[in-house]
Amino acid sequence: MTSITIQPQHKDKIVAQQQALQDPNWVRWGLIFIALSFITLFICGPLFLVIYQALSKGLTAYWTALSEPDTLSAIKLSFFVALVTVPLNTVFGVTAAWAITRFDFKGKSLLTTLIDLPFSVSPVISGLIFVLLFGAQGWFGEWLVEHDIKIIFAVPGIILATLFITFPFVARQLIPLMQEMGNQEEEAALSLGASGWKAFWAVTIPNIKWALLYGVLLCNARAMGEFGAVSVVSGHIRGMTNTLPLHVEVSYNDYDVVGAFASASILAALAIVTLILKTILEWKQAKR
Amino acid sequence: MSQSSVMPGFRPTIGFTLIYLGLVVLIPLSTLVFKSFALTLDDYVHIITNKRVLSSFRVSFSSALIAASIASVFGFITAWVLVRYSFLGKNIFHALIDLPFALPTAVAGIVLATIFQPSGFLGKLLLDTFGIQVAFKPMGIVVALIFISIPFVVRTVEPVLLEFEASMEEAGASLGATRLQVFTKIIFPNIFPALLTGFALAFARGVGEYGSVIFIAGNIPYISEIVPLLIVTKLEQFDIEGATAIALTMLVISFLLLLLINLLQLWVRKRSGQL
Amino acid sequence: MNNIYTIFVAAVLAVLASSNVQAADVQILNVSNDPTRELFKEINPVFAKNWKAKTGDTVTINQSHAGSGKQARSVIEGLEADVVTLALAYDVDQLYQKRKLIPEKWQTLLPHNSSPYLSTMVFLVRKGNPLGVKDWDDLVKPGVSIVTPNPKTSGGARWNFLAAWGYALKHNNNDEAAAKVFVNKLFKNAAVLDTGARGSTTSFVEREIGDVLITWENEGHLVLREFGADKFEIVTPSLSILAEPPVAVVEDYARKHGTTEVATEYLTFLYSKEAQEIIGKNFYRPVDKDIAAKYAKQFKPLELINIAQFGGWEAAQKKFFADEGVFDEIYGPGK
């Protein structure tokens, strides 16, 4: 902003121009103050409270709460669900971004909108639709009961609901980036005789890898943190179908404040690690 | 469908995209539509125009509107500060913006209720100084939704601000504009579409939010009862038709909102492409 | 790349394998409402011990707790509970009405209308009872702020509502119009309507909302135990309703799991002296006469009406809680 080439002009004019390019100090500090207060109030406050409550009875109580069998099984389930959903949605995200950004076709806007849809569907509805589909009174209900296949109120139902919720994350991250990049680089590789597959691995992936990783990280955080939709399809069986966020609610309702916030702190820690990784990724990207 | 480039892989990628989209999103969502066919139009209208349902729509939409507006103002300032200024600890603040994405909504609800309850740290302050009770009043919904909305606004405005050409500001400055004029005439109009997109995203998300809101809202019919809560209530009364009718209405609204956002972005891209 | 796949597959297998470890022994699932968490936490290990001594099998009882209506709906939609222990008969009845998962006459299969423990609805106030709340008519005074769950979603709240209704009828010569005015005023004083009983307790106790919490008697005592008798006190009104939380074996699912015997035995066990003691200790009212007498002194005497006076749950549900019923009238717009 300050790199204005100085020409033999009138001094006052330069000062006026510089003033027009820079915010006055009071504005600058005022805005920083407002932004920081806002972030502190709405983001640091809640984060601090989670950590404070989790440690309110000391580290030992914190550790005991985390090593309870129900907590451990909730942690395990949440990781398992993320392990299944994130790779699937990553593959989808890359494929969809390729199709949308590398080709022109009718209904592209509609397709993008449909991909975004799970973002703005109420979590309650995301759960409800799977009950309508796989519940005993749902579409496939009778068939599932006959064949003794459990989807809802079991792990598959949780996975499906999570897939739905985290569906757009990777695609959304990649589409704007790949749109902006254009396809000249891939075209160059292709004209040099590379196969499409090779061009993708050697040209596209290196270009999008940081955005891709960030999308994966966000997708993962959301997969482990989803509450509303999973709550509808889980059945809340302790030690079996309670994911980490559900376990937080259960512990909280059991008057086990330390337990609740200890579990929440894992999710908060996960979020923070995600965010730190992301900052590092962005920094690396900027360096390139 | 027309293929305009020499790029390979259109058929397999679009094929996989559509199949996966169909399996994971469209088929599940279509149950709402088909389930609603069981209702006659009269039934549907009767359910939707019930006073309590209408007022919950009013509560959800007005809170989401207020929250998205507040988040837009502060989110814009935050994005501005993060992009334009440098100060100590900026990276940390920058990293924290996405926290609401990652923190489970239930945890957010519990924590915000603890902070804003009448005896809580901020709740007490607000109650004593201004006589305002936040938690368990309609205001509580707004607070929860602001929390949810922050990353949407900041993350949509930020990239646009980053790429904003300094040359445009310089041009304005060399023509003798003041800082305020540069901002209102040059910077803001260019950022505005992105801000509007962020606002719309936050609004769409806010209308459907459930987990964080029920812990802080008070849930009183006609005052602080949100639409998703009403869907849950209907379900728990074994009234699946009623729940489906309301859910379908919400789905259509969010779809239209998103479509609007995407068209808006398309329009902005086209316009900036011409510039 | 291959390494990643190997790790992924191994991890998936490990998780699948670990979830199968306990499958060698019997497992049953008890799907219950909110305020019974502590009760079953204490009863389950005792039953498991007895069952092991009797049959040599290890039984694990898995618990699921949430609002009564939500739980009933989950079981109907396919949550394969072997037994349900819910807040009110109406919710259990839906298992028959919607999917015939239980026999029609399920309530006659176990003693005392299939309710092994009883309770009633009382008030919880802050220490010293600053507003001097003694009875239901103190709750409808202007400026008194009450906390109760929403009768639409919570079984306990429906008991609350009916208790208030019963009190109003009694003091207004059975005039229903006057009773409507009474409950109208009562619910207009509600500061927050949570979806379940436990949520209401949290609002009142931890969020410090409201002057009076209307809740299960056992829940009130539990609060005194968890948060200290120096912070809250229980006020027993002159009249309340006898809450009969019913239990039932979900025969359809139990047959499928081959757990009918252990599930039936589990519910029968709830009536044993041993279990009734635990029930008394957890501030539920035992149905066993001797044990009830032993724990009688922890409950203040009061006049109890019961659901039969409302013509049973089916009728009460339809009249009061269905859409456009009495409860919806209370919250009519602009009232």
Side-chain angles (χ1 to χ4, degrees):
Chain A
M1 280 178 293
T2 47
S3 60
I4 307 165
T5 41
I6 297 178
Q7 284 160 2
Q9 274 177 334
H10 200 271
K11 205 180 165 192
D12 287 352
K13 207 177 169 191
I14 296 178
V15 173
Q17 273 191 28
Q18 264 178 337
Q19 273 173 352
L21 287 172
Q22 276 179 333
D23 300 327
N25 264 336
W26 64 270
V27 172
R28 176 182 294 245
W29 290 111
L31 289 182
I32 290 180
F33 176 76
I34 293 174
L36 290 197
S37 317
F38 180 67
I39 298 301
T40 310
L41 175 64
F42 276 97
I43 293 185
C44 302
L47 184 65
F48 171 76
L49 198 73
V50 169
I51 299 164
Y52 174 80
Q53 296 270 28
L55 296 174
S56 60
K57 289 193 181 138
L59 263 176
T60 340
Y62 176 76
W63 193 246
T64 320
L66 282 189
S67 40
E68 257 188 48
D70 283 357
T71 315
L72 287 178
S73 93
I75 296 174
K76 214 158 70 178
L77 178 60
S78 280
F79 273 101
F80 178 69
V81 169
L83 205 62
V84 175
T85 54
V86 175
L88 280 174
N89 279 340
T90 307
V91 172
F92 164 77
V94 175
T95 322
W98 182 271
I100 287 174
T101 59
R102 293 297 175 255
F103 305 98
D104 266 330
F105 52 90
K106 271 189 195 138
K108 203 167 171 176
S109 235
L110 182 71
L111 182 62
T112 329
T113 307
L114 287 175
I115 289 176
D116 279 349
L117 197 53
F119 233 23
S120 69
V121 169
S122 175
V124 172
I125 298 177
S126 322
L128 167 69
I129 53 178
F130 288 100
V131 174
L132 291 178
L133 209 51
F134 299 114
Q137 297 181 306
W139 277 9
F140 300 117
E142 231 164 277
W143 188 85
L144 291 171
V145 170
E146 264 170 37
H147 293 76
D148 194 21
I149 302 170
K150 272 193 260 181
I151 292 190
I152 213 140
F153 307 118
V155 177
I158 299 176
I159 290 178
L160 282 173
T162 312
L163 264 186
F164 181 92
I165 293 284
T166 57
F167 181 83
F169 275 81
V170 176
R172 265 193 81 90
Q173 206 64 37
L174 292 183
I175 291 171
L177 179 72
M178 286 172 66
Q179 218 143 35
E180 209 174 291
M181 275 167 31
N183 44 15
Q184 291 90 337
E185 285 190 48
E186 282 107 349
E187 272 169 4
L190 289 171
S191 69
L192 290 174
S195 71
W197 199 234
K198 183 126 196 242
F200 172 74
W201 279 110
V203 178
T204 316
I205 286 288
N207 276 331
I208 61 168
K209 67 181 172 198
W210 298 122
L212 178 63
L213 246 170
Y214 180 43
V216 169
L217 287 174
L218 266 189
C219 182
N220 182 59
R222 192 88 184 106
M224 295 189 64
E226 175 53 25
F227 171 76
V230 172
S231 161
V232 179
V233 297
S234 130
H236 302 94
I237 311 169
R238 291 171 186 228
M240 296 174 83
T241 60
N242 267 347
T243 60
L244 214 37
L246 297 182
H247 186 67
V248 173
E249 196 209 10
V250 163
S251 314
Y252 189 72
N253 279 336
D254 280 353
Y255 302 127
D256 177 9
V257 174
V258 171
F261 284 99
S263 304
S265 77
I266 298 184
L267 290 161
L270 185 82
I272 294 171
V273 170
T274 304
L275 305 174
I276 291 174
L277 278 177
K278 189 205 118 199
T279 314
I280 296 174
L281 294 182
E282 275 174 354
W283 181 68
K284 279 200 167 175
Q285 194 175 19
K287 239 173 82 170
R288 275 164 52 90
Chain B
M1 290 191 182
S2 69
Q3 211 170 319
S4 67
S5 81
V6 291
M7 295 307 252
F10 178 69
R11 275 163 202 280
T13 50
I14 194 78
F16 177 75
T17 303
L18 291 177
I19 291 171
Y20 191 80
L21 176 76
L23 283 179
V24 177
V25 177
L26 298 185
I27 291 180
L29 281 179
S30 70
T31 53
L32 279 184
V33 180
F34 285 104
K35 193 86 193 171
S36 306
F37 286 161
L39 295 166
T40 64
L41 190 67
D42 280 352
D43 289 342
Y44 175 78
V45 171
H46 181 73
I47 292 169
I48 292 301
T49 54
N50 174 293
K51 291 231 166 62
R52 190 157 164 211
V53 175
L54 286 179
S55 88
S56 75
F57 271 102
R58 203 197 61 227
V59 170
S60 277
F61 280 95
S62 58
S63 335
L65 195 71
I66 297 171
S69 310
I70 296 176
S72 295
V73 173
F74 287 98
F76 179 72
I77 295 175
T78 308
W80 179 270
V81 165
L82 289 177
V83 170
R84 290 295 176 97
Y85 306 149
S86 60
F87 52 91
L88 195 70
K90 177 172 146 176
N91 277 335
I92 300 172
F93 279 101
H94 196 230
L96 281 173
I97 298 290
D98 282 324
L99 188 79
F101 265 158
L103 201 68
T105 50
V107 175
I110 292 173
V111 164
L112 288 172
T114 310
I115 296 176
F116 285 98
Q117 74 190 51
S119 58
F121 167 63
L122 274 169
K124 198 166 161 43
L125 197 75
L126 287 171
L127 196 62
D128 291 351
T129 33
F130 304 106
I132 305 170
Q133 186 187 331
V134 174
F136 309 103
K137 296 277 167 190
M139 192 89 117
I141 307 176
V142 174
V143 166
L145 294 185
I146 293 176
F147 177 79
I148 302 291
S149 304
I150 297 169
F152 287 97
V153 178
V154 179
R155 292 305 181 214
T156 344
V157 174
E158 208 184 350
V160 185
L161 261 182
L162 262 175
E163 283 183 16
F164 190 74
E165 304 277 332
S167 60
M168 288 175 73
E169 282 177 59
E170 279 160 28
S174 65
L175 290 172
T178 64
R179 181 63 188 158
L180 191 66
Q181 281 170 328
V182 168
F183 179 80
T184 52
K185 296 271 162 65
I186 300 173
I187 303 176
F188 192 73
N190 278 286
I191 304 298
F192 189 67
L195 189 61
L196 206 59
T197 308
F199 170 84
L201 275 176
F203 178 70
R205 183 87 175 78
V207 169
E209 177 56 21
Y210 175 72
S212 59
V213 173
I214 50 158
F215 286 97
I216 195 172
N219 309 327
I220 304 281
Y222 297 101
I223 297 170
S224 51
E225 191 174 53
I226 55 168
V227 183
L229 177 63
L230 208 58
I231 296 177
V232 171
T233 308
K234 293 251 179 223
L235 270 183
E236 296 190 1
Q237 294 179 92
F238 308 103
D239 178 10
I240 295 193
E241 281 74 26
T244 317
I246 303 176
L248 183 69
T249 314
M250 281 200 85
L251 181 69
V252 171
I253 294 173
S254 25
F255 177 76
L256 291 179
L257 266 175
L258 277 180
L259 199 64
L260 197 74
I261 297 169
N262 279 335
L263 290 176
L264 188 77
Q265 279 174 332
L266 204 70
W267 175 73
V268 169
R269 249 203 317 278
K270 279 207 179 124
R271 206 184 61 148
S272 64
Q274 284 163 1
L275 278 173
Chain C
M1 239 17 218
N2 268 335
N3 277 337
I4 296 174
Y5 286 134
T6 320
I7 293 168
F8 177 71
V9 171
V12 171
L13 288 178
V15 173
L16 287 178
S18 65
S19 59
N20 279 334
V21 170
Q22 309 132 333
D25 295 306
V26 204
Q27 293 205 25
I28 58 172
L29 173 61
N30 177 2
V31 170
S32 192
N33 61 324
D34 258 332
T36 55
R37 292 160 192 266
E38 291 72 21
L39 177 66
F40 285 113
K41 207 182 251 176
E42 216 169 313
I43 285 184
N44 290 347
V46 181
F47 174 72
K49 205 180 79 202
N50 288 3
W51 184 254
K52 177 120 190 163
K54 197 171 152 192
T55 63
D57 292 343
T58 307
V59 58
T60 314
I61 299 134
N62 295 309
Q63 285 293 143
S64 166
H65 293 279
S68 190
K70 175 176 179 163
Q71 295 292 63
R73 189 174 52 81
S74 295
V75 173
I76 290 165
E77 289 292 354
L79 178 60
E80 297 196 352
D82 300 277
V83 301
V84 288
T85 52
L86 298 177
L88 36 89
Y90 178 79
D91 289 331
V92 180
D93 218 35
Q94 298 307 310
L95 304 191
Y96 167 75
Q97 300 287 350
K98 305 275 182 211
R99 269 194 70 204
K100 312 266 178 292
L101 294 169
I102 54 172
E104 188 182 359
K105 302 280 172 210
W106 62 273
Q107 215 165 1
T108 60
L109 296 179
L110 288 162
H112 300 281
N113 287 332
S114 286
S115 297
Y117 41 85
L118 307 168
S119 191
T120 185
M121 313 320 281
V122 299
F123 310 151
L124 194 69
V125 296
R126 304 193 190 281
K127 190 67 194 177
N129 196 357
L131 293 180
V133 172
K134 288 195 182 65
D135 213 340
W136 290 98
D137 52 356
D138 293 317
L139 303 190
V140 298
K141 288 178 183 158
V144 176
S145 153
I146 67 162
V147 175
T148 164
N150 188 338
K152 290 257 177 187
T153 49
S154 156
R158 276 175 236 173
W159 291 117
N160 287 347
F161 182 97
L162 294 179
W165 184 267
Y167 175 88
L169 279 187
K170 188 188 168 190
H171 290 266
N172 291 289
N173 302 318
N174 288 324
D175 179 2
E176 294 225 334
K180 246 181 220 176
V181 172
F182 186 85
V183 289
N184 188 354
K185 278 192 204 152
L186 179 74
F187 276 87
K188 284 287 164 189
N189 275 347
V192 45
L193 290 177
D194 287 288
T195 50
R198 200 40 75 88
S200 283
T201 313
T202 308
S203 296
F204 181 75
V205 172
E206 303 205 25
R207 307 268 165 267
E208 300 176 30
I209 294 289
D211 306 307
V212 187
L213 170 72
I214 314 175
T215 191
W216 296 85
E217 189 175 41
N218 58 295
E219 183 83 358
H221 282 279
L222 184 72
V223 169
L224 297 193
R225 190 170 78 188
E226 291 279 332
F227 294 91
D230 54 333
K231 293 201 185 95
F232 303 98
E233 51 189 80
I234 289 174
V235 173
T236 309
S238 67
L239 176 148
S240 191
I241 193 161
L242 179 68
E244 300 166 278
V247 301
V249 174
V250 188
E251 293 191 3
D252 209 52
Y253 292 143
R255 203 177 308 125
K256 184 172 149 196
H257 303 158
T259 51
T260 311
E261 194 197 345
V262 56
T264 313
E265 196 65 27
Y266 175 64
L267 293 189
T268 315
F269 173 73
L270 297 177
Y271 292 89
S272 71
K273 300 260 178 215
E274 202 174 2
Q276 290 284 312
E277 280 275 354
I278 301 175
I279 284 166
K281 262 188 237 160
N282 279 280
F283 307 103
Y284 275 99
R285 297 178 174 224
V287 289
D288 183 288
K289 283 213 172 63
D290 303 334
I291 312 281
K294 183 175 167 190
Y295 285 93
K297 60 179 178 301
Q298 71 187 14
F299 306 117
K300 284 222 180 95
L302 74 166
E303 184 186 344
L304 289 172
I305 55 171
N306 64 41
I307 187 65
Q309 284 163 256
F310 295 88
W313 267 113
E314 198 67 42
Q317 177 74 22
K318 210 168 149 198
K319 176 172 175 187
F320 295 105
F321 308 118
D323 278 354
E324 287 152 44
V326 172
F327 181 74
D328 276 0
E329 278 178 37
I330 291 177
Y331 279 108
K335 269 195 190 170

